[in-house]
Amino acid sequence: LHLPIQREDALFDFGNGKMAQTILVVDDDPVQRRLLEAAITRSGMQVVTSPGGGLALELINGPRGEQIALMLLDLIMPDMGGLEVLERLRQTDPDLPVIVLTAKGGIDSAVEAMRAGANDFLVKPASPERIAISIRNQLKIGTLSTEVTRLKKKTENRLTFDDLVAQSNEMKQVF
């Protein structure tokens, strides 16, 4: 297990105005995990890896789970398959973007993964550029969806303290 998270918030400021997101890579193949980690890190994002679905769900539901902005998930793993991970994840975190990445790339697999709650489906070997584009697209969709929800609440005068953005522990204590 590799946990290179260095701060307690989900976004990391590199001083250039850009924020890096934390991506959870779930794959039972250690070589594939390292390749994905390297490709994602080169794209300016933080990576947490997990060798299986059970541990991935523990990370998501654990104390640092809110740091994870997206999951990159292998479909076929020995401990818990990607579809089972998706089903369990959607019960506790329905909004976390999930990109399924698998060598089993048939249309049936893609449809099954999307029905289980995947946001995108990539066939291995996917190029680092394709992976980065898919991750960025899913993160943008999530940001836009959150903003649309906030604006709807604002127009209906239903904003609450939960709608304020606060990442630090000090600000969370205020709310």
Side-chain angles (χ1 to χ4, degrees):
L1 177 65
H2 179 63
L3 296 169
I5 298 174
Q6 299 170 357
R7 292 185 45 201
E8 290 302 314
D9 44 89
L11 302 175
F12 301 87
D13 187 353
F14 290 131
N16 59 4
K18 294 187 177 181
M19 303 295 263
Q21 304 271 332
T22 301
I23 310 301
L24 173 60
V25 174
V26 186
D27 199 313
D28 60 313
D29 180 355
V31 173
Q32 189 68 30
R33 280 196 314 270
R34 282 193 297 274
L35 289 170
L36 290 168
E37 180 179 11
I40 294 167
T41 302
R42 276 194 306 273
S43 295
M45 294 172 256
Q46 298 290 324
V47 179
V48 176
T49 63
S50 171
L55 182 58
L57 290 172
E58 287 178 27
L59 287 169
I60 295 279
N61 295 319
R64 299 174 90 184
E66 67 184 30
Q67 296 177 21
I68 297 168
L70 181 140
M71 180 189 289
L72 194 59
L73 177 66
D74 186 19
L75 197 58
I76 300 173
M77 295 179 290
D79 75 324
M80 181 185 303
L83 293 177
E84 185 178 350
V85 172
L86 272 170
E87 289 171 14
R88 291 185 182 190
L89 175 69
R90 292 303 176 222
Q91 294 171 8
T92 59
D93 197 344
D95 298 325
L96 182 72
V98 177
I99 300 169
V100 170
L101 184 66
T102 187
K104 182 183 170 189
I107 292 179
D108 292 340
S109 298
V111 169
E112 196 174 8
M114 300 304 266
R115 283 188 178 153
N119 299 84
D120 201 357
F121 186 90
L122 303 176
V123 178
K124 292 179 187 176
S127 72
E129 295 80 19
R130 176 65 180 100
I131 293 168
I133 288 169
S134 182
I135 289 171
R136 291 194 193 287
N137 286 344
Q138 292 309 314
L139 294 175
K140 284 179 187 174
I141 289 169
T143 300
L144 290 172
S145 177
T146 301
E147 183 65 11
V148 166
T149 301
R150 191 189 67 75
L151 289 172
K152 280 183 181 178
K153 284 182 163 184
K154 183 178 179 182
T155 60
E156 297 169 358
N157 289 322
R158 294 186 304 119
L159 287 176
T160 65
F161 284 115
D162 292 334
D163 297 306
L164 296 175
V165 177
Q167 292 293 329
S168 70
N169 288 331
E170 294 81 5
M171 288 302 292
K172 287 181 180 178
Q173 289 176 359
V174 172
F175 301 115

